[in-house]
């Protein structure tokens, strides 16, 4: 390589690496470190341990150890409901949204009449921001004038169903909104994977007498292992970073508590508990890494054994 080539390679690799360190790794490591402190975001940090029974202003910036995590798990009433809701959100995305998106992709890939129109319609929610999706569905779920209550005849003052205000219903109502968008996203990813599959594999399966179901699950789906990994990672990330829909609905309270909302409330809200909010962010990070790590481990182990 010439000197010019070395300079070009250094720039092409160095600049993205620096950006990745600056905007991903440094904030992540900083969040982990801040989770062990008691800091309100004002003033400096120091290595002195926090003194018990002192006013918060006098303990600002001190080392708090695991107390933020202990307080979140024991005396913070919103924590466990938020963890439960995040896990439900993840389960719905994995069990419903992802298979639904895969089904859409398989049907459209078969070349049915009007497939491009269906693809555009199903992909439309992905092009909208989550905040706009939430606003659209508020008209659908509106208690007195919403589409659902009007269709089922429950839009009166006495018998109207409060889809977004009832804490026993609003989580599932918002999950329908999220699934509506996520299924289109997964559909596009799987369509890209299906287009990349060698057509001769389908022809060979047809010659061997395999039907459409057997061809997909025994021939096509295993070949799309790389796209399956991407979709799994994207599904976990999208489910655990959910924020916009619940915040638009009721600011993430009354049955819609999520860890992302609690992190935002504690860090940039009125309480200004940066250390405590960082601890909640670390919990969210750990929850997201567990299923991703297990899935990647199982996938790569199967590749090594095959």
């Amino acid at each position: 390589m010439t000197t010019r080539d070395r300079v070009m390679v250094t720039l092409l690799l160095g600049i993205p690496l620096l950006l990745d360190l600056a905007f991903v790794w440094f904030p992540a490591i900083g969040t982990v470190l801040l989770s062990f402190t008691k800091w309100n975001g004002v003033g400096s940090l120091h290595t002195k341990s926090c003194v018990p029974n002192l006013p918060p202003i006098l303990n600002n910036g001190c080392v708090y150890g695991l107390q933020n995590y202990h307080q979140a798990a024991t005396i913070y009433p919103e924590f466990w409901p938020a963890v439960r809701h995040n896990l439900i959100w993840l389960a719905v995305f994995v069990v419903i949204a992802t298979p639904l998106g895969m089904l859409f992709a398989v049907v459209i890939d078969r070349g049915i009449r009007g497939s491009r129109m269906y693809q555009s319609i199903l992909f439309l929610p992905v092009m909208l921001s989550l905040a706009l999706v939430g606003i659209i569905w508020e008209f659908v779920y509106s208690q007195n004038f919403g589409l659902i209550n009007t269709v089922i005849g429950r839009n009166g003052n006495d018998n109207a169903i409060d889809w977004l205000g009832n804490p026993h219903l609003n989580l599932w109502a918002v999950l329908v909104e999220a699934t509506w968008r996520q299924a289109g996203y997964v559909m596009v990813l799987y369509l890209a994977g299906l287009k990349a599959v060698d057509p001769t594999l389908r022809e060979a399966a047809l010659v061997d007498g395999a039907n459409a179901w057997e061809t997909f699950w025994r021939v096509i789906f295993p070949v799309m292992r790389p796209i399956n990994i991407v979709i799994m990672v994207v599904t976990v990330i999208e489910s655990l970073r959910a924020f916009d829909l619940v915040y638009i609905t009721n600011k993430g309270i009354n049955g819609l508590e999520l860890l992302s909302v609690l992190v935002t409330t504690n860090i940039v809200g009125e309480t200004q508990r940066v250390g405590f909010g960082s601890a909640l962010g670390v919990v969210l990070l750990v929850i997201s890494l567990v299923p991703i790590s297990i899935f990647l481990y199982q996938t790569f182990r199967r590749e090594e054994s095959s």
Side-chain angles (χ1 to χ4, degrees):
M1 294 176 62
T2 64
T3 303
R4 181 179 179 181
D5 293 335
R6 293 191 182 95
V7 171
M8 185 61 65
V9 170
T10 302
L11 291 176
L12 292 177
L13 294 179
I15 293 177
L17 178 60
L18 290 176
L19 292 174
D20 186 61
L21 291 174
F23 294 104
V24 178
W25 287 101
F26 179 74
I29 295 174
T31 300
V32 174
L33 296 177
L34 286 174
S35 69
F36 299 106
T37 67
K38 190 175 185 179
W39 189 45
N40 61 9
V42 179
S44 60
L45 295 166
H46 52 80
T47 57
K48 296 180 181 179
S49 299
C50 296
V51 179
N53 301 323
L54 274 183
I57 190 63
L58 299 179
N59 266 332
N60 185 44
C62 59
V63 178
Y64 208 33
L66 296 175
Q67 288 301 310
N68 286 324
Y69 297 95
H70 181 263
Q71 290 180 5
T74 56
I75 63 174
Y76 193 51
E78 293 89 353
F79 176 74
W80 289 113
V83 172
R84 183 173 66 254
H85 295 161
N86 270 111
L87 293 177
I88 292 174
W89 204 290
L90 174 60
V92 170
F93 269 26
V94 172
V95 177
I96 298 178
T98 299
L100 188 61
M102 182 171 63
L103 175 62
F104 290 155
V106 172
V107 172
I108 291 176
D109 186 62
R110 293 178 64 86
I112 62 174
R113 179 177 296 182
S115 59
R116 292 191 178 276
M117 179 186 67
Y118 296 138
Q119 181 177 341
S120 301
I121 293 174
L122 293 172
F123 185 69
L124 180 62
V126 185
M127 301 173 62
L128 305 175
S129 67
L130 283 172
L132 184 56
V133 170
I135 294 174
I136 291 173
W137 278 88
E138 280 191 355
F139 291 104
V140 177
Y141 287 130
S142 177
Q143 186 172 356
N144 292 322
F145 306 103
L147 176 63
I148 296 178
N149 281 351
T150 301
V151 171
I152 64 178
R154 296 290 297 274
N155 56 346
N157 293 327
D158 297 330
N159 63 348
I161 300 176
D162 191 359
W163 296 99
L164 299 178
N166 188 336
H168 301 292
L169 296 176
N170 53 13
L171 177 64
W172 305 104
V174 174
L175 279 171
V176 172
E177 307 174 24
T179 301
W180 178 60
R181 183 180 186 273
Q182 183 68 13
Y185 190 17
V186 173
M187 177 199 68
V188 172
L189 295 177
Y190 266 122
L191 274 175
L194 290 169
K195 298 299 182 185
V197 174
D198 189 352
T200 58
L201 294 176
R202 290 188 174 91
E203 296 173 2
L206 183 63
V207 171
D208 291 339
N211 56 34
W213 178 265
E214 293 172 336
T215 300
F216 178 76
W217 286 111
R218 297 185 179 181
V219 179
I220 305 301
F221 189 75
V223 174
M224 295 194 301
R225 183 173 296 175
I227 197 68
N228 291 331
I229 295 175
V230 172
I231 290 174
M232 177 62 185
V233 173
V234 168
T235 298
V236 173
I237 293 175
E238 288 292 324
S239 61
L240 295 180
R241 76 179 185 91
F243 173 82
D244 308 62
L245 292 179
V246 297
Y247 200 80
I248 285 292
T249 302
N250 66 357
K251 300 188 182 300
I253 58 176
N254 191 32
L256 287 180
E257 295 83 1
L258 291 177
L259 285 173
S260 58
V261 177
L262 299 185
V263 171
T264 304
T265 302
N266 281 279
I267 292 181
V268 301
E270 297 179 358
T271 56
Q272 288 284 308
R273 295 192 295 174
V274 177
F276 186 77
S278 298
L280 297 176
V282 173
V283 172
L284 184 60
L285 174 64
V286 171
I287 293 176
S288 63
L289 287 178
V290 168
I292 292 175
S293 301
I294 294 174
F295 181 78
L296 293 179
Y297 173 76
Q298 295 291 337
T299 301
F300 291 135
R301 190 176 69 172
R302 285 195 296 266
E303 289 182 352
E304 292 177 355
S305 61
S306 59

